[in-house]
Amino acid sequence: MGQIIEVYEEHKGLHGGNYYFIIENRKLVHISQYALSMKKGFFTYYYINLDDIKDKNVIEVSSTNQGIFDVVWMFPAEDLSLKWNRRRRQELPITIINEYELTHIGTKERLFLSEWNRYYKPMLNYIRREVIEKGGYVAVSHLIKVHLNNDLKYPVSFLIPYSENARFMSLTGLTKQIHQIWLTIRILREFTSDILKLYFEQSSSIPLAIIDKYSMWYEFDLNPHTMFKGILWYKSDIPLEMKKIFERAEEVRKKYNINHFTLRPDIVFTYASNAKDFMENPIIKLIIECKNFDYTFWEKDVEKQVKPYVEIFYPEHMVIASLKPVPQYSKHRLFNYGIDVIDNVYPEGSGEYELMTYIKQILI
């Protein structure tokens, strides 16, 4: 037997993890597939016979707590036995991953790639075309920025090699944000052809955009300790109408037996143009909740999130914008509760145009 080397990885998803893949005939094979044994602790250690990977190359994928790097490193597999700074590393753009097949992803994930190509890549292309290529910019999470800066065959969530569940959790957040941001920009383009400069952040104290007499907010945070960048931490008194909202929220939480309750509708239109005005007069014109997975995946949210929003915020209008089809019986049930549902909301989907018509009728 040849030399046994120790290779370790830090398994933190895309927030500090580092992962090694061996290149095998246009495929990327995770280092664990070559391990004679392994040990888990703060790091995960793999013990590998160097002869098994000799004359091959390694692709290293790394991230920090801010997110994944948009570059990867390639070096001879023999250098895995050396310290990091002694490896003969070649820096390459992350798009190099497009040239390979990922062997660690499962059947469901491979099937998802058809959705990635049909829905999410067109959304990313739209954002590039309508904002970035026209001289604007979007301040978004690092996870989204990597995909906007690079046309990727795979969502970077698939580069997490050690856990299907970790990949799914990352993918859920990624695709939800892409759908929300695309839809926000798609709505804005119905009202303006101006260069867009948008800051997509939770708990913002200023609206994302102004449309005539309405303000548009992204992930409109009304949780008491975080809303408007934590305004209630330094405000001595809470306006009466806001107190009523918080009181209703507590009543609804008990009514639906909700332990963890997040008051953060996806897209909100208000009459108030700033935080101070909203605190004094918290009237909501329209709430848009974005759902991008199958109805069976978010059906439980109807009782735990969607209905509570109606009972707490008293919006004049509320609509669910679903990427996937929604059963007619559910649409009817929600309509009777004052909630509209428009499905097939994706680029060139029938719901895209239906939703734009719906919003313009409300806001104009």
Side-chain angles (χ1 to χ4, degrees), residues 293-304:
F293 277 86
D294 290 337
Y295 174 71
T296 53
F297 184 80
W298 57 267
E299 182 178 11
K300 61 183 181 298
D301 291 347
V302 171
E303 298 295 329
K304 300 292 186 180

Side-chain angles (χ1 to χ4, degrees), residues 186-200:
R186 180 64 183 85
I187 293 169
L188 286 173
R189 277 294 177 237
E190 287 294 310
F191 296 92
T192 180
S193 59
D194 293 345
I195 294 174
L196 298 175
K197 298 179 180 180
L198 305 171
Y199 294 84
F200 289 92

Side-chain angles (χ1 to χ4, degrees), residues 261 289 291 300-309:
F261 200 12
E289 271 299 297
K291 301 296 182 185
K300 61 183 181 298
D301 291 347
V302 171
E303 298 295 329
K304 300 292 186 180
Q305 180 198 56
V306 179
K307 283 185 178 180
Y309 280 172

